[in-house]
Amino acid sequence: MEEREGFIVSLGCRKCGRCENVCPNGALYRVNGFANVDHEKCDLCMKCVKICPNKALVYME
Ligand code: SF4
Ligand code: SF4
């Protein structure tokens, strides 16, 4: 199994929707507007982290 270095968490999402279609792996989904990350699908590409204007998607080690 692949060793994981960390994961992306959603903290203080403001439901703007900017991250909606940015994830190439379908790992990012929204529940009631709030962003969530499926850690099984996320490969830590950081695209969502870069696009969020509120810095709500954060890399945690
Ligand atoms: S880091 Fe990349 S793969 Fe992971 S949720 Fe964000 S856009 Fe998707
Ligand atoms: S871009 Fe950021 S604030 Fe906007 S919906 Fe996504 S995580 Fe939430």
Side-chain angles (χ1 to χ4, degrees):
M1 210 166 91
E2 190 184 325
E3 185 83 16
R4 287 304 182 109
E5 291 173 13
F7 50 92
I8 307 297
V9 293
S10 172
L11 291 171
C13 172
R14 293 187 187 173
K15 308 184 184 181
C16 74
R18 285 276 294 275
C19 61
E20 185 88 68
N21 299 310
V22 80
C23 181
N25 301 310
L28 198 75
Y29 62 100
R30 291 166 76 219
V31 178
N32 296 329
F34 290 107
N36 280 272
V37 177
D38 181 340
H39 302 302
E40 297 289 320
K41 293 181 181 174
C42 175
D43 68 358
L44 303 173
C45 75
M46 301 293 165
K47 283 185 180 160
C48 63
V49 173
K50 286 176 190 155
I51 207 169
C52 177
N54 301 304
K55 296 190 167 38
L57 294 162
V58 183
Y59 173 71
M60 303 273 284
E61 284 190 80

